[in-house]
Amino acid sequence: MSKENNKISSSNAETPVMKCSWECFQWPTSYMKREVFKRGDVLFRIGDKADKMYYIKKGALKLLEINKVVREGEVIGEMGIFSPYSQRMATAVCEEDMEVYTLSKEEVVKLFSKDATVATDLMHLSCQRFTENLRRETEAKERIKSELRIATQIQLSMLPRKFPPFPDRGEFDIFASMVAAKEVGGDLYDFFFIDGNRLCFLIGDVSGKGVPAALFMAITKTLLKTEAKHGLKPDEILSRVNNTLVPDNDACMFVTLFCAVLDVRTGKVEFSNGGHNPPLVLRGKTFEYMQVPKGFVVGAMEGIKFIKGEYILGPGDIIFLYTDGVTEAMNPEDELFSERRLKEHLSKLTDKSVEEIVEGVKDEIKLFVRDREQSDDITMLALKFRGKRR
């Protein structure tokens, strides 16, 4: 369509120009209804029938659900008037006083009979806008995918992945795994010696998704290791990390953590729980959930007091840590893998190595969820106490 044909045919019509990236369209306001709105007025709500288009002569409005501002010289809703059953995808609220010109579906039909050129141009414009919106949506999705890939790389690069990590230490075996979701949740785990006889091991789950969660995870993990290396008790570690995170935490993120310190000579485990899932312990032939205080999450409120608990591991005992991506994994019937299923399956793996236990649970989750897309990181850590050097 040529630019010459992209004019309204009525000589007495007012012709405001739409600001757009394609060839400009001159709006037939002589055929349109003038309406005035005040700041704060709601033009339409999400889910309403999309039966009217709006050309903004003056002012601006905000589409709340997608956080987009539509300004003077722009138009919204023209796709809806050509779609019989379409609904509003967002709520429109006036950012300031507005003067708009509107066309309903019925008025568009009348316009076709009065001025076929303008009506045809309207349809042409709608197709162009649809193509442009689709392009922008595709670009946005690609940006999100790129962010998620970066977040996954940040997570994986921060986690120990060499096993066995301490081949010269025979007092224990340890294995951990994280399967990152497409929407990254910021899971973390770590283990390291504080001194020659004390091993710190921990697991956590950051609130939120994507790159912000991954970065918060990286900061948290670094702080945990720094504080633990001072020889502090687990409750003191969580307290100091919490008080460091809170002051500059403008995004109001937080992390659930279970932090423990094992004395490899005696099997004594000192631990503190920051709002995380309770571990399971194998003593004998079945896994059982540890009775641990729930505790408060880390990073949300300054001055929180964390509680220290103790547990004694005997030779052959296993402690199993996990994040809620395990128990909240969901199958196509919207059923959760659940704490019950986790306990039942772990109790079938009591004669396995720590690596086989973690991989066995991972395989069971895959069978359970089938083709349901993973929505959260699945992270596990298993430690078996042997009690003596090999």
Side-chain angles (χ1 to χ4, degrees):
M1 181 177 294
S2 68
K3 290 187 178 181
E4 287 75 14
N5 291 333
N6 202 26
K7 308 282 186 180
I8 60 170
S9 58
S10 176
S11 61
N12 62 349
E14 184 183 356
T15 57
V17 178
M18 179 186 177
K19 298 172 184 175
C20 54
S21 58
W22 48 81
E23 58 186 299
C24 291
F25 178 78
Q26 298 184 355
W27 286 94
T29 51
S30 61
Y31 295 117
M32 303 171 76
K33 180 181 178 182
R34 179 180 178 273
E35 297 186 46
V36 176
F37 298 92
K38 296 291 186 181
R39 181 181 178 183
D41 285 353
V42 177
L43 272 67
F44 50 78
R45 299 184 183 277
I46 187 170
D48 287 353
K49 188 177 179 181
D51 57 359
K52 184 187 290 187
M53 60 178 290
Y54 298 81
Y55 166 76
I56 303 175
K57 179 68 181 298
K58 293 181 181 178
L61 61 83
K62 187 171 186 179
L63 300 174
L64 299 184
E65 287 76 10
I66 59 175
N67 195 31
K68 178 180 179 182
V69 176
V70 184
R71 304 185 183 280
E72 180 178 312
E74 298 185 76
V75 64
I76 57 170
E78 82 287 354
M79 285 301 300
I81 62 174
F82 297 112
S83 304
Y85 306 107
S86 60
Q87 294 180 328
R88 300 295 185 193
M89 303 301 292
T91 301
V93 178
C94 297
E95 288 269 280
E96 51 195 71
D97 292 352
M98 291 181 60
E99 177 186 355
V100 302
Y101 286 83
T102 65
L103 269 177
S104 67
K105 288 185 178 182
E106 294 76 14
E107 289 165 341
V108 169
V109 172
K110 293 178 182 178
L111 182 58
F112 266 92
S113 62
K114 289 182 179 180
D115 195 325
T117 301
V118 172
T120 303
D121 284 351
L122 265 177
M123 295 188 71
H124 179 65
L125 175 65
S126 297
C127 291
Q128 287 180 306
R129 281 176 60 84
F130 176 78
T131 302
E132 178 70 9
N133 289 340
L134 184 61
R135 182 186 65 79
R136 290 177 180 174
E137 183 178 338
T138 302
E139 289 175 351
K141 287 181 178 179
E142 287 302 317
R143 284 195 297 271
I144 291 171
K145 287 180 181 179
S146 177
E147 275 200 356
L148 295 178
R149 283 193 295 268
I150 293 169
T152 301
Q153 291 167 4
I154 292 171
Q155 285 180 284
L156 294 177
S157 67
M158 294 289 293
L159 303 176
R161 287 176 287 171
K162 181 183 176 182
F163 296 98
F166 312 109
D168 59 334
R169 305 299 300 245
E171 303 98 326
F172 64 93
D173 296 326
I174 192 168
F175 185 82
S177 168
M178 184 189 75
V179 180
K182 289 186 177 180
E183 291 187 3
V184 197
D187 279 10
L188 66 119
Y189 67 81
D190 203 359
F191 45 81
F192 48 87
F193 274 97
I194 297 172
D195 54 37
N197 296 308
R198 289 187 299 162
L199 176 80
C200 180
F201 61 99
L202 56 92
I203 196 167
D205 185 0
V206 175
S207 63
K209 303 287 184 185
V211 172
L215 291 174
F216 196 81
M217 164 269 197
I219 294 168
T220 301
K221 181 178 175 297
T222 302
L223 289 172
L224 285 164
K225 193 167 188 175
T226 300
E227 298 298 347
K229 286 287 189 176
H230 292 317
L232 302 174
K233 301 293 185 181
D235 56 318
E236 297 171 328
I237 295 171
L238 295 191
S239 179
R240 293 185 65 158
V241 170
N242 178 73
N243 290 341
T244 301
L245 288 173
V246 171
D248 297 319
N249 186 10
D250 296 333
C252 298
M253 301 184 76
F254 61 86
V255 57
T256 66
L257 286 168
F258 186 89
C259 179
V261 176
L262 167 68
D263 189 322
V264 298
R265 298 166 298 181
T266 64
K268 179 181 178 181
V269 177
E270 296 181 322
F271 63 85
S272 187
N273 190 26
H276 199 75
N277 311 76
L280 292 101
V281 175
L282 172 65
R283 172 165 285 173
K285 296 184 178 180
T286 60
F287 276 90
E288 299 292 343
Y289 283 96
M290 286 180 63
Q291 299 301 310
V292 299
K294 181 69 174 176
F296 196 73
V297 298
V298 177
M301 186 181 300
E302 201 166 4
I304 297 296
K305 300 296 182 183
F306 295 91
I307 301 171
K308 181 176 74 71
E310 295 182 1
Y311 191 90
I312 304 296
L313 293 175
D317 289 353
I318 297 173
I319 184 168
F320 180 86
L321 311 181
Y322 61 97
T323 60
D324 59 13
V326 173
T327 52
E328 295 179 6
M330 193 173 290
N331 66 15
E333 290 74 42
D334 292 339
E335 297 173 317
L336 298 177
F337 188 71
S338 75
E339 288 82 0
R340 175 184 59 82
R341 286 188 177 88
L342 175 60
K343 178 178 178 294
E344 289 175 355
H345 189 67
L346 279 172
S347 295
K348 299 175 184 177
L349 302 170
T350 55
D351 60 338
K352 304 297 183 181
S353 69
V354 288
E355 181 175 357
E356 289 171 326
I357 288 172
V358 170
E359 295 298 332
V361 174
K362 192 187 301 182
D363 291 342
E364 186 69 15
I365 293 172
K366 287 180 182 177
L367 289 173
F368 176 76
V369 302
R370 304 197 293 280
D371 58 351
R372 180 84 178 241
E373 188 174 33
Q374 183 182 337
S375 62
D376 199 2
D377 294 348
I378 294 175
T379 306
M380 295 172 278
L381 182 152
L383 181 147
K384 182 174 185 176
F385 180 63
R386 293 188 174 275
K388 60 180 180 180
R389 292 181 181 268
R390 295 176 198 164

